[in-house]
């Protein structure tokens, strides 16, 4: 349930919001057939899926939306209009990472250009975090008055974690050295037990 980045996102949201839950692990498509009982509930086989008040909900953003309706926000609402620029940055980083890591070199797009595009995408997040007084993207105060990462941070965690590891291995690119404010953000998250419980083995 953390091997899938979208599942990790929901798992973290539930942990940080301290919502009781039960997990059932399901095969990802790349590992074989989905369990029959799961397909009876979720015909598409998509992960993650939750059952909330007798209703099955899929797609991680949609799940967070329904969890917010039931339990309240974790920082900013996932559908807040002011949040959309942050969402755009997250999608742009994901897209440029895939382009650099996975696409073959063509006459239209060199590897150097792809690296440059990726670094420009990350620079937008670096700029956002540089302006943050807390070092987080979407901080909120918990019931004890302690600053915690909110939904805005949670949506970045699964992919930046994977970006950090994959580019170090395949490209020799050290994200945390090259982007000090993103590194500070990672360091703050690594003080959170909820995150450490889901964090991938580098």
């Amino acid at each position: 349930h953390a091997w899938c980045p979208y599942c990790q996102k929901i798992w973290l949201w539930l942990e940080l919001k301290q919502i009781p839950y039960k997990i059932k692990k399901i095969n990802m498509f790349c590992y074989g057939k989905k369990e029959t009982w799961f397909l009876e509930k979720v015909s598409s086989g998509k992960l993650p899926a939750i059952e909330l008040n007798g209703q099955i909900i899929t797609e991680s953003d949609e799940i967070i939306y329904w969890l917010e309706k039931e339990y309240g926000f974790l920082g900013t609402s996932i559908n807040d209009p002011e949040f959309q620029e942050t969402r755009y940055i997250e999608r742009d980083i994901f897209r440029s990472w895939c382009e650099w890591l996975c696409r073959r070199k063509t006459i239209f797009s060199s590897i150097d250009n792809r690296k440059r595009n990726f670094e420009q995408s990350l620079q937008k997040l670096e700029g956002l975090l540089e302006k943050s007084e807390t070092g987080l993207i979407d901080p909120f105060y918990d019931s004890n008055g302690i600053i915690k990462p909110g939904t805005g941070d949670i949506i970045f965690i699964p992919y930046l974690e994977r970006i950090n590891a994959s580019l170090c291995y395949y490209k020799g690119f050290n994200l945390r050295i090259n982007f000090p404010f993103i590194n500070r953000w990672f360091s703050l998250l690594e003080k959170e037990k909820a995150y450490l419980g889901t964090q991938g083995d580098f």
Side-chain angles (χ1 to χ4, degrees):
H1 49 287
W3 189 244
C4 165
Y6 302 105
C7 292
Q8 185 186 14
K9 184 163 78 171
I10 300 305
W11 189 17
L12 270 169
W13 198 97
L14 290 167
E15 283 289 333
L16 286 166
K17 192 68 175 169
Q18 298 185 333
I19 305 300
Y21 61 90
K22 291 180 181 178
I23 286 176
K24 292 186 179 179
K25 294 184 181 180
I26 310 299
N27 268 344
M28 291 171 68
F29 283 122
C30 53
Y31 293 118
K33 289 180 65 177
K34 300 278 182 179
E35 290 77 354
T36 303
W37 68 264
F38 182 70
L39 291 173
E40 288 171 358
K41 284 181 175 285
V42 184
S43 58
S44 67
K46 283 185 176 180
L47 296 174
I50 67 164
E51 190 167 2
L52 180 66
N53 299 330
Q55 183 178 356
I56 301 292
I57 307 157
T58 59
E59 304 289 350
S60 59
D61 285 2
E62 190 71 7
I63 289 170
I64 289 176
Y65 168 74
W66 283 97
L67 289 171
E68 286 178 344
K69 287 177 69 173
E70 187 75 12
Y71 300 107
F73 302 147
L74 192 66
T76 306
S77 169
I78 199 159
N79 287 330
D80 191 310
E82 294 181 10
F83 197 37
Q84 297 317 301
E85 179 61 25
T86 307
R87 296 306 310 270
Y88 171 78
I89 292 171
E90 183 257 342
R91 289 289 84 195
D92 192 41
I93 290 171
F94 171 74
R95 196 166 34 249
S96 60
W97 167 56
C98 289
E99 282 291 322
W100 186 27
L101 181 66
C102 304
R103 304 287 184 264
R104 292 185 177 186
K105 182 178 179 180
T106 69
I107 59 171
F108 302 107
S109 178
S110 71
I111 296 299
D112 287 344
N113 281 343
R114 292 175 190 180
K115 180 182 178 183
R116 194 175 306 112
N117 290 341
F118 173 71
E119 289 174 324
Q120 288 171 353
S121 297
L122 277 180
Q123 194 57 54
K124 294 172 189 173
L125 177 59
E126 183 78 353
L128 189 70
L129 288 168
E130 186 176 2
K131 295 174 188 172
S132 170
E133 293 179 5
T134 63
L136 296 169
I137 296 165
D138 183 28
F140 76 97
Y141 290 91
D142 69 8
S143 56
N144 297 315
I146 298 170
I147 293 174
K148 295 283 187 180
T151 298
D153 297 280
I154 289 170
I155 64 166
F156 278 90
I157 289 170
Y159 279 117
L160 279 180
E161 179 184 304
R162 287 155 177 80
I163 286 168
N164 183 37
S166 63
L167 292 182
C168 182
Y169 184 82
Y170 288 105
K171 302 289 187 181
F173 181 85
N174 194 315
L175 185 153
R176 294 182 73 161
I177 287 177
N178 293 330
F179 293 90
F181 290 99
I182 294 176
N183 178 56
R184 181 179 69 164
W185 175 81
F186 266 120
S187 297
L188 288 168
L189 292 170
E190 286 164 348
K191 294 177 182 176
E192 291 288 337
K193 289 182 179 179
Y195 171 60
L196 290 177
T198 75
Q199 187 181 27
D201 184 313
F202 191 79

